[in-house]
Amino acid sequence: MAFDYEKYIRPGKLPHIWCPGCGHGIIMKGLIRAIDSLGLEKNNTAIVSGIGCASRLPGYLDFCTLHTAHGRAAAFATGVKMAKPEMNVIVVGGDGDGTAIGGNHFIHACRRNIDMTYIIMNNNIYGMTGGQFSPCTPTGAKASTTPYGNPDPAFDVAKLAIGAGATFVARGTAYHATQIDKLIAEAVQHKGFSVVEILDDCPTTYGRRNKFKSVIEMMNRLKDIAVPVKAAEKMTPEQLQGKILTGVLYKEEKPEYTTEYAKVIERAKGGK
Amino acid sequence: MAKKVAFLQGNEAGAQGALYAGCKFFAGYPITPSTEVAEVMSAELPKVGGKFIQMEDEIGAMAAVIGGSLAGSKSLTATSGPGLSLKQELIGYACIAEAPVVIFNVMRGGPSTGMPTGPSQSDVMSAKWGTHGDHPAICLVPASVQEIFEETVRAFNLAEKYRTPVMIMPDEIVAHMRERIVFPEPGELEVINRTAPSVPADQYKPYDTKFGDVPPLAAFGSGYRFHVTGLNKAEDGFPTTKAALVQAEEERQVRKVDANIDDIVTFEEYMLDDAEVAIVAFGSTSRSARYAVNEARKAGIKAGLFRIRTFWPFPDKQIKALASKVKAIITPEMNLGMCTIEVRRCAEGKAPVHGIFRVDGEPINPGQILDKIKEVK
């Protein structure tokens, strides 16, 4: 029997705003399958986002949903989680939202290791505002504000998260659709701050400026550059040139923030 | 039983007032001269099962308190001028999302870093005009340690009652002075909690005007699923660009305060019955003004004080009435005329309004005000 996505979609809220060929819908379906596989209770699950194309995702889903301000999703989500630690908190957003204007909140949420999952839908561009370069736009690429090629170096989101202290970091792509739900499910199950970066495509504002002839070409690129972590172990640095590792990149067990705060409450009540 | 009495600092009294009001979540960022609020909350909140978090910046702190409030906790943040500037975007978010939060802002010199340890009263315009767009504004300006406690309770009450952010803004002098405070007993001061929805979960709309201008607010995780956004929204909480819906929602948000001015505005009148010269003042400056009024009376001058306790909404009709019965109004304030503009607007030319402005980090002393009384009487 086909998977019933509608169970999790708010009636009357589709169609979504995303352009034909955009990978955000693929990721949303992956998130739904992940939530379904874990049996997360709708009433006990908050989905929080910032601003941008990706951040419109929560409005379509039938959970406690919070569409916040540009870059601030992780900080709002922190407030929700502190007030109700028993809730599952999932943050979704784009690369500009999460690593530029929201970069400070992102790295500090990583550092605190507060129990939530941050899904970064990385399409290398500010799509909603018309294709300005983001911290994840590759050097040399064309964007509406880099007409002569992007002079900026790009962030490696996964490395940023690991460096900042996230205790679970995974990467997938919109092409590898069936892997997305597994990565998200594992991330949500992890006790601590988990990051799932999903490489995505924006044919409308990135592809057309960077000589991609079709959405299929953009998707095929994601297929070609992705190398599973296990496979990468057997490859030489030359062979890994231009490739991007996918799968679970990092995982460690560390004290989780709200659990540690519960101990603070115990100490305060005990007068110690 | 004798009431609990203490010798307390203004900021400490603010934190105690928040606890009395049932605050269960504080998120902040260190900033002079408000840090004692955060310090007391970090020590006291966990004792009552509440949560304290020091965020990475002022914006993050504002975001966290809105998140905490939507998840059902009465939430507080504390800051000062530069922090207030940083929080402004999300204060607007709290306005449009209609999330009750309290912002405790201690006024120090500005603009920018200004004078971090110097007193000022120059954030009162930021309280109303700091965030973009049309929105409701409530701002309380206490003048004593006791009043900081009581007004912080009232700030929470107004936030919960009207589903909107409320600012309480002591100037640095009031925030850092130490005075005797008598703690109200539990139940002695009214404590208001937001109205929870009475409808079944599948019929809940977070901005349902069927229930009036202040619709009931459910908490995340309480069995009600709903959507919150900073976009212009319809009654169901989802974004809309339909002109009629946007217009109606915007007007309702502002009307929550505008239609309830008499419930919100508070003030104190001192020796105004026969006054020919009225001082209009707030915060620590009103204490100098009271002294000056007493001195003027001793010298046979009929002076009086109108003390503003609620700066926003502004006491328009009271000032208008005052202007039509006195010969002159004096507005001493630690800024370059922010309150004076409002008083002149309300006075409508019926009485001349003379400002006394200080922005040098020094308080306005009674002598300065007394000199002005003698000059304009």
Side-chain angles (χ1 to χ4, degrees):
Chain A
M1 207 176 88
F3 186 87
D4 180 19
Y5 290 98
E6 288 197 13
K7 203 163 87 180
Y8 297 95
I9 305 241
R10 282 183 165 126
K13 296 303 165 197
L14 292 180
H16 55 66
I17 63 158
W18 302 318
C19 302
C22 169
H24 289 357
I26 298 169
I27 300 169
M28 182 164 81
K29 288 174 86 173
L31 171 61
I32 291 173
R33 291 194 305 275
I35 287 171
D36 185 77
S37 74
L38 297 172
L40 301 188
E41 230 186 284
K42 286 182 178 181
N43 284 336
N44 202 37
T45 302
I47 304 182
V48 185
S49 68
I51 293 292
C53 295
S55 288
R56 288 302 185 95
L57 186 151
Y60 307 126
L61 299 186
D62 188 16
F63 297 90
C64 303
T65 54
L66 181 53
H67 175 223
T68 73
H70 200 21
R72 316 300 170 203
F76 275 78
T78 298
V80 171
K81 186 72 183 178
M82 285 297 278
K84 289 245 166 83
E86 66 277 16
M87 286 188 87
N88 312 299
V89 178
I90 298 167
V91 182
V92 297
D95 45 302
D97 183 60
T99 69
I101 191 165
N104 202 29
H105 309 306
F106 179 70
I107 59 172
H108 287 274
C110 290
R111 172 179 64 81
R112 276 184 205 108
N113 197 34
I114 188 163
D115 187 28
M116 61 178 72
T117 298
Y118 198 126
I119 300 166
I120 290 207
M121 299 150 80
N122 181 0
N123 59 7
N124 314 108
I125 203 84
Y126 286 97
M128 189 170 261
T129 45
Q132 298 75 31
F133 76 99
S134 86
C136 297
T137 302
T139 306
K142 294 277 178 67
S144 73
T145 47
T146 56
Y148 309 108
N150 180 22
D152 281 33
F155 263 143
D156 180 324
V157 175
K159 278 187 185 165
L160 176 69
I162 295 166
T167 51
F168 180 99
V169 179
R171 189 191 282 131
T173 86
Y175 175 85
H176 301 88
T178 55
Q179 190 192 24
I180 294 172
D181 43 331
K182 293 176 186 71
L183 293 176
I184 295 175
E186 197 176 338
V188 171
Q189 276 184 302
H190 175 78
K191 186 87 176 155
F193 193 78
S194 52
V195 177
V196 183
E197 179 193 17
I198 315 276
L199 302 182
D200 205 348
D201 69 316
C202 180
T204 306
T205 74
Y206 187 84
R208 71 187 168 90
R209 285 196 179 91
N210 289 284
K211 295 185 179 155
F212 287 97
K213 292 193 179 69
S214 67
V215 173
I216 295 166
E217 202 182 310
M218 294 191 86
M219 282 289 170
N220 277 335
R221 181 186 152 272
L222 293 176
K223 181 178 84 170
D224 294 341
I225 61 170
V227 176
V229 194
K230 279 265 177 257
E233 284 169 8
K234 297 171 200 133
M235 290 167 71
T236 64
E238 289 74 32
Q239 287 171 316
L240 285 171
Q241 199 67 254
K243 303 288 187 189
I244 285 169
L245 300 189
T246 57
V248 178
L249 307 180
Y250 186 79
K251 188 174 180 171
E252 74 170 309
E253 299 299 325
K254 260 190 175 173
E256 189 277 321
Y257 193 77
T258 59
T259 312
E260 290 306 298
Y261 200 84
K263 293 177 191 168
V264 168
I265 292 176
E266 272 178 42
R267 288 200 294 273
K269 285 183 170 171
K272 282 172 205 166
Chain B
M1 204 177 86
K3 283 188 181 175
K4 195 180 153 199
V5 173
F7 189 58
L8 221 58
Q9 186 208 51
N11 281 337
E12 294 168 352
Q16 294 296 340
L19 293 163
Y20 185 98
C23 174
K24 284 289 186 292
F25 183 52
F26 179 97
Y29 183 82
I31 186 164
T32 303
S34 78
T35 37
E36 294 87 358
V37 181
E39 287 167 355
V40 174
M41 293 310 267
S42 72
E44 297 303 318
L45 268 176
K47 289 183 189 168
V48 294
K51 320 278 173 64
F52 166 93
I53 190 167
Q54 185 168 306
M55 291 297 285
E56 52 275 5
D57 56 36
E58 295 278 0
I59 304 170
M62 193 63 216
V65 292
I66 298 170
S69 177
L70 291 171
S73 291
K74 285 188 176 179
S75 301
L76 172 74
T77 187
T79 190
S80 182
L84 183 66
S85 295
L86 286 165
K87 288 183 190 308
Q88 289 291 359
E89 185 206 2
L90 296 187
I91 289 170
Y93 187 94
C95 288
I96 197 168
E98 299 179 59
V101 289
V102 174
I103 300 125
F104 189 102
N105 179 73
V106 181
M107 291 190 280
R108 72 188 222 191
S112 189
T113 311
M115 242 190 294
T117 56
S120 164
Q121 296 179 310
S122 58
D123 294 348
V124 286
M125 284 296 178
S126 295
K128 186 167 172 66
W129 308 110
T131 194
H132 62 281
D134 290 296
H135 57 89
I138 300 178
C139 174
L140 315 179
V141 281
S144 70
V145 171
Q146 182 80 38
E147 198 171 59
I148 288 183
F149 182 103
E150 290 165 7
E151 289 294 88
T152 304
V153 176
R154 193 165 77 94
F156 272 96
N157 286 347
L158 293 170
E160 296 283 316
K161 187 173 181 181
Y162 294 112
R163 269 187 77 173
T164 193
V166 172
M167 302 195 200
I168 173 160
M169 290 198 176
D171 55 70
E172 185 274 341
I173 294 174
V174 182
H176 273 165
M177 66 165 58
R178 286 186 180 273
E179 284 184 318
R180 182 175 186 269
I181 176 173
V182 182
F183 285 99
E185 301 281 346
E188 188 179 333
L189 298 183
E190 184 186 22
V191 168
I192 296 175
N193 295 312
R194 65 193 71 171
T195 308
S198 52
V199 297
D202 61 340
Q203 286 166 33
Y204 178 65
K205 290 187 281 185
Y207 309 98
D208 196 343
T209 53
K210 193 165 73 193
F211 298 95
D213 280 346
V214 190
L217 176 60
F220 284 164
S222 69
Y224 289 82
R225 295 192 301 278
F226 57 102
H227 186 60
V228 178
T229 178
L231 289 162
N232 282 109
K233 81 282 182 190
E235 287 192 1
D236 60 5
F238 291 95
T240 183
T241 51
K242 283 184 186 144
L245 292 179
V246 173
Q247 180 86 17
E249 272 292 292
E250 279 277 299
E251 286 180 357
R252 178 181 61 77
Q253 282 164 43
V254 173
R255 192 167 62 233
K256 288 193 297 185
V257 167
D258 281 0
N260 293 289
I261 284 175
D262 289 341
D263 181 49
I264 302 167
V265 166
T266 49
F267 52 89
E268 182 194 351
E269 291 171 304
Y270 179 68
M271 300 215 168
L272 278 178
D273 285 349
D274 62 342
E276 291 174 353
V277 179
I279 323 290
V280 177
F282 61 102
S284 65
T285 308
S286 69
R287 299 168 71 121
S288 292
R290 188 185 306 265
Y291 193 97
V293 165
N294 291 341
E295 292 300 303
R297 288 274 170 178
K298 282 181 206 163
I301 304 168
K302 289 180 178 169
L305 167 67
F306 184 95
R307 181 165 77 87
I308 294 173
R309 297 178 68 212
T310 305
F311 201 95
W312 302 114
F314 201 74
D316 283 26
K317 68 178 180 193
Q318 290 80 8
I319 299 294
K320 189 177 173 178
L322 183 68
S324 55
K325 67 176 203 180
V326 296
K327 287 182 186 161
I329 293 175
I330 299 170
T331 47
E333 51 183 328
M334 287 187 285
N335 61 57
L336 292 177
M338 294 180 180
C339 182
T340 306
I341 292 173
E342 291 301 306
V343 173
R344 282 209 181 108
R345 175 178 63 76
C346 298
E348 294 173 339
K350 292 192 181 86
V353 180
H354 307 274
I356 303 173
F357 308 140
R358 259 193 119 145
V359 289
D360 58 356
E362 294 294 325
I364 294 175
N365 59 51
Q368 253 184 301
I369 300 171
L370 187 60
D371 288 347
K372 186 64 94 176
I373 292 173
K374 288 174 178 166
E375 185 188 317
V376 306
K377 73 167 163 60

